[in-house]
Amino acid sequence: MADTLRLSMRQVQRSFASLGTTPTKYLLIKRLEHARKEIDQIIAGRRVELISTIAFEAGFSDLSYFQRTFRRAFGNTPRDYLSGIAERVHIGVEDSATGRGP
């Protein structure tokens, strides 16, 4: 990253420190956000994939590590996130179709 930006590694570290993070943590967060967006695509019906495929695409080679970090970041495992959102979307569709509220 430092080479691409033509900065020293220390300059990159200081820049991230001013944001309250490290380059490693920043990249992990971005990878997790990418995975969550792809799971959202499954929920929306635009994608049919296994969560493991999404994890690998986001750069995770260890599924246990992916699940642990996803849970720490978003409060649910990827599977629970997928199930919980799917249930809420399904309930929302039924409620609007029947005119009944929660």
Side-chain angles (χ1 to χ4, degrees):
M1 184 185 312
D3 290 340
T4 302
L5 297 171
R6 297 180 188 228
L7 298 171
S8 71
M9 186 56 146
R10 185 63 192 133
Q11 287 174 304
V12 172
Q13 290 169 340
R14 277 195 302 265
S15 296
F16 278 95
S18 71
L19 299 172
T21 191
T22 66
T24 301
K25 287 180 184 176
Y26 177 82
L27 290 173
L28 176 61
I29 290 167
K30 289 299 180 187
R31 290 167 50 209
L32 288 167
E33 288 174 350
H34 172 76
R36 184 176 63 175
K37 287 178 184 174
E38 293 304 312
I39 292 171
D40 288 340
Q41 293 296 309
I42 294 173
I43 294 164
R46 292 188 212 110
R47 183 173 179 163
V48 179
E49 294 289 342
L50 297 173
I51 289 175
S52 59
T53 302
I54 290 170
F56 290 128
E57 287 176 2
F60 292 92
S61 58
D62 181 338
L63 292 178
S64 295
Y65 177 68
F66 170 66
Q67 291 176 7
R68 280 192 314 271
T69 56
F70 191 96
R71 184 182 321 131
R72 274 189 225 124
F74 304 118
N76 295 82
T77 63
R79 174 76 50 208
D80 290 344
Y81 177 81
L82 176 61
S83 298
I85 297 292
E87 287 174 17
R88 283 193 292 268
V89 169
H90 182 67
I91 289 167
V93 169
E94 284 183 356
D95 287 348
S96 63
T98 62
R100 284 184 253 150

